[in-house]
Amino acid sequence: MHKSLSNSYKSSTLKRHSGSLSPFVHSIFRLNQTNNLQSQSSLANSIKTPSGYSPFRHFNQNPCFFSSGYFPNGVNLKGFGRNESGESCAKLFFRSFCSEMCRESMAYDVVIVGAGPAGLSAAIRLKQLCREKNVDLSVCVVEKGAEVGAHIISGNVFEPRALNELLPQWKQEEAPIRVPVSSDKFWFLTKDRAFSLPSPFSNRGNYVISLSQLVRWLGGKAEELGVEIYPGFAASEILYDADNKVIGIGTNDMGIAKDGSKKENFQRGVELRGRITLLAEGCRGSLSEKLIKNFKLREKSHAQHQTYALGIKEVWEIDEGKHNPGEILHTLGWPLDQKTYGGSFLYHMNDRQIALGLVVALNYHNPFLNPYEEFQKFKHHPAIKPLLEGGTVVQYGARTLNEGGLQLKME
């Protein structure tokens, strides 16, 4: 479904072809017409591949050798000259090139990190604007999961307002949004009882969905618009130019042993360079945290201290007689104590499946508290256990969550 930069395919693009470069390498040489990097140095123009392409790409006017599999010939290298110490500049050039281990580079107008709902929505909207303005911008999305949606584990009560604006025809285009909310319950739990409270939520018109299924659908829509999606490649570093401006990201190296040594199948990561780099990594993304620290974004914006929570979730398949599609339940109270922020959720999806989980804020005071054990207690509550009896766990997972609202430092 999605484009792939597999090791075998990457290796095949570096082989020398008789008289021409591979289509993959041809595509890498593409420069958008709106890009102002059209000027090429005399050095880059003097060195050509058999098909007439220069093996150099220019980023911020700094030439860098491109791993097309072709090397400058001796005549071309005469123009390199010697440095002040008398050492051949050609030697210095090849030393610099070899130190990069033939790292491949691809240029786009926009590089997006993370194929979640935010990253894919941004890519779709960019391509929609391109059609409206009759321009062509290249947009790339890189995703660390093996496939789009692989790292999305949220059962979700979905408000469709934003999707109505982004893709108004989603109902006709068979989006995986089919279970409207039928009831909305809110309980306060003690160890043995459940007290019904007025629901603070307004979920009329919302849907119970699997967010991973929705993300897969959005990935297909993005590709239909011309977005290039590369799953299975984690963005591991930020690329900067000489002025400390972000110019893209680098993907992780592959073929590294547990001790950090390079195995026989070692492959350098790929540089994805963009005029705009958009990070949509989700909660506490590694690259986002690096940028926040590097540019002191929290200090400059006087941002409040961010708090986090851990969400644990399971998907169960239960007896049909107990299943009520569209029913949603939120609880607070037990098994958490009065000093611990958190609560639980239970959503009835389609196909006799329910999603249930527990969210525990990570600023809990009790050092012996185990969120997983608290979740097991919740499942044995007298109001919850009968629903699960006879059922089967289909999926499970956990992830950190950003907690919004007023951020107060807990003393």
Side-chain angles (χ1 to χ4, degrees):
M1 174 181 175
H2 305 285
K3 295 181 176 65
S4 173
L5 291 177
S6 65
N7 288 339
S8 60
Y9 186 62
K10 283 174 58 184
S11 299
S12 68
T13 66
L14 303 180
K15 295 178 181 178
R16 181 169 181 170
H17 295 266
S18 57
S20 65
L21 293 175
S22 68
F24 182 80
V25 176
H26 274 290
S27 68
I28 299 175
F29 277 94
R30 168 170 44 86
L31 278 176
N32 187 272
Q33 293 179 353
T34 61
N35 201 323
N36 61 2
L37 302 177
Q38 293 178 349
S39 61
Q40 306 290 321
S41 70
S42 58
L43 171 63
N45 286 329
S46 66
I47 304 174
K48 301 290 185 179
T49 65
S51 56
Y53 283 99
S54 167
F56 287 86
R57 286 301 301 271
H58 279 254
F59 297 104
N60 302 297
Q61 309 305 319
N62 295 321
C64 56
F65 192 84
F66 190 27
S67 55
S68 62
Y70 292 93
F71 293 84
N73 58 38
V75 175
N76 297 135
L77 291 176
K78 291 180 179 179
F80 275 85
R82 296 182 179 272
N83 62 10
E84 295 178 356
S85 62
E87 186 175 7
S88 169
C89 291
K91 292 182 180 179
L92 296 175
F93 170 81
F94 280 112
R95 183 184 302 165
S96 174
F97 167 70
C98 295
S99 68
E100 286 299 310
M101 292 293 293
C102 301
R103 191 173 191 180
E104 211 164 322
S105 180
M106 302 172 68
Y108 293 90
D109 292 300
V110 182
V111 174
I112 300 175
V113 179
L120 291 174
S121 296
I124 290 172
R125 187 59 187 143
L126 281 168
K127 280 298 188 178
Q128 289 175 337
L129 290 173
C130 287
R131 292 189 175 186
E132 293 174 10
K133 305 298 183 181
N134 195 28
V135 296
D136 183 22
L137 297 179
S138 55
V139 180
C140 163
V141 180
V142 59
E143 163 60 32
K144 65 180 181 295
E147 61 179 359
V148 173
H151 287 187
I152 305 293
I153 66 171
S154 175
N156 192 272
V157 177
F158 181 73
E159 180 186 348
R161 178 173 51 183
L163 188 60
N164 290 337
E165 298 175 0
L166 183 67
L167 297 168
Q169 304 300 317
W170 61 266
K171 290 184 179 180
Q172 292 78 14
E173 296 177 0
E174 300 182 351
I177 305 173
R178 305 182 184 94
V179 183
V181 172
S182 59
S183 66
D184 194 353
K185 299 178 181 179
F186 189 69
W187 293 350
F188 176 80
L189 299 183
T190 64
K191 186 175 181 179
D192 300 312
R193 300 184 63 184
F195 296 92
S196 181
L197 300 176
S199 177
F201 308 110
S202 178
N203 286 309
R204 178 172 298 185
N206 295 343
Y207 295 81
V208 178
I209 69 167
S210 165
L211 192 59
S212 62
Q213 293 179 8
L214 178 61
V215 165
R216 291 188 187 99
W217 180 81
L218 287 173
K221 293 301 173 184
E223 287 196 320
E224 289 176 7
L225 291 169
V227 177
E228 297 182 23
I229 302 176
Y230 297 109
F233 290 86
S236 60
E237 63 176 304
I238 297 286
L239 303 180
Y240 300 92
D241 66 6
D243 298 321
N244 203 34
K245 294 180 180 179
V246 175
I247 57 172
I249 60 96
T251 66
N252 59 315
D253 296 339
M254 297 185 177
I256 299 178
K258 291 182 179 180
D259 61 0
S261 61
K262 298 174 182 178
K263 298 192 291 187
E264 293 182 357
N265 61 342
F266 174 79
Q267 290 283 344
R268 283 286 275 137
V270 180
E271 289 186 357
L272 299 176
R273 298 188 176 231
R275 296 163 60 196
I276 296 175
T277 302
L278 174 62
L279 302 183
E281 298 175 285
C283 177
R284 201 168 174 78
S286 57
L287 298 189
S288 300
E289 290 297 319
K290 290 178 181 178
L291 283 180
I292 290 172
K293 182 178 180 180
N294 185 31
F295 293 107
K296 296 180 170 55
L297 299 182
R298 290 198 183 279
E299 292 82 353
K300 291 179 180 178
S301 61
H302 304 289
Q304 294 173 320
H305 176 70
Q306 178 66 54
T307 60
Y308 301 93
L310 177 68
I312 303 173
K313 173 205 166 183
E314 292 178 350
V315 175
W316 282 64
E317 189 175 276
I318 62 174
D319 294 339
E320 187 171 358
K322 303 176 183 179
H323 187 237
N324 300 305
E327 180 179 300
I328 63 177
L329 168 68
H330 294 94
T331 79
L332 52 79
W334 191 88
L336 303 179
D337 58 38
Q338 296 181 355
K339 294 183 179 180
T340 304
Y341 168 73
S344 71
F345 60 89
L346 195 157
Y347 307 145
H348 288 248
M349 303 186 290
N350 56 0
D351 299 327
R352 299 191 295 115
Q353 291 187 348
I354 63 169
L356 75 160
L358 180 71
V359 175
V360 181
L362 292 180
N363 60 354
Y364 52 81
H365 291 240
N366 180 4
F368 300 103
L369 185 145
N370 185 322
Y372 175 77
E373 291 180 356
E374 300 303 302
F375 182 43
Q376 304 312 309
K377 294 178 184 178
F378 166 74
K379 291 189 292 183
H380 285 82
H381 190 278
I384 304 298
K385 183 177 179 179
L387 181 68
L388 303 178
E389 288 180 335
T392 304
V393 178
V394 179
Q395 296 174 328
Y396 58 90
R399 62 161 298 160
T400 54
L401 306 169
N402 285 318
E403 293 299 328
L406 184 63
Q407 302 292 325
L408 298 177
K409 186 176 181 179
M410 304 296 292
E411 299 294 344

